Amino acid sequence: MSSSAVLISLLVASVLFFGDSEGSYIVGRNCDQELVGRWVGIVPTLNTLVINADATLDGTLLGLVIHGFVTTDVTVQPLWVDLHLDINTVVPCIYSITNDLNGGKILTLALDLNLVSILSGSCVRPKTFTSSNTLVLTAVL
């Protein structure tokens, strides 16, 4: 076997073995397209989420810079969204999207707002929206 054939075989094996593990999730992700966009909280440096059409996620959550992807379940009430963070943590949330008086979209997101719980992966999905577990984010064009 020539050295170039060995090199090509190693390259193919590396791509198969070390390939983008997140990319394998893209096909099977369920993402409510209503969530796609840039969502900004009252203090943008603390809470800003950018959810892309392919369900990837970037932004800040409680001041923590986050990257990952989202999955949603729109067959339940309240609606579910899970934030799969690249720190090997899933943050289970409930959400609703409404319109403000000017026709803008508002995302109400309820989650465990304890940063220690988020970082340790011990978050539990809230059952209801309360003032102590809810972020209100506005869609920005």
Side-chain angles (χ1 to χ4, degrees), residues 4-57:
S4 61
V6 170
L7 185 59
I8 291 172
S9 296
L10 285 173
L11 179 63
V12 169
S14 295
V15 168
L16 291 174
F17 186 74
F18 296 109
D20 179 15
S21 62
E22 183 180 318
S24 64
Y25 293 105
I26 291 174
V27 172
R29 290 184 196 157
N30 292 323
C31 180
D32 180 355
Q33 292 301 298
E34 287 290 315
L35 283 172
V36 172
R38 184 169 187 253
W39 301 93
V40 178
I42 295 170
V43 180
T45 55
L46 290 179
N47 298 301
T48 297
L49 301 177
V50 177
I51 301 172
N52 300 300
D54 66 355
T56 54
L57 166 71

Side-chain angles (χ1 to χ4, degrees), residues 13 15-16 21 26 40 42 60-61 68-70 83-84 89 101 108 116 121 134:
V15 168
L16 291 174
S21 62
I26 291 174
V40 178
I42 295 170
T60 56
L61 182 62
F69 65 93
V70 301
L83 311 178
H84 299 259
T89 297
L101 296 176
T108 304
V116 173
T134 300

Side-chain angles (χ1 to χ4, degrees), residues 2 6 12 25 31 47 60 70 75 90 101 103-105 107 109 114 117 123 125 128-129 133 136:
S2 72
V6 170
V12 169
Y25 293 105
C31 180
N47 298 301
T60 56
V70 301
T75 65
V90 177
L101 296 176
K105 293 190 335 185
L107 170 63
L109 186 68
N114 183 327
S117 297
C123 296
R125 186 181 319 279
T128 60
F129 297 95
N133 74 358
V136 177

Side-chain angles (χ1 to χ4, degrees), residues 95-116:
Y95 74 99
S96 71
I97 298 175
T98 56
N99 291 322
D100 65 15
L101 296 176
N102 298 322
K105 293 190 335 185
I106 297 173
L107 170 63
T108 304
L109 186 68
L111 65 149
D112 186 337
L113 292 174
N114 183 327
L115 197 52
V116 173

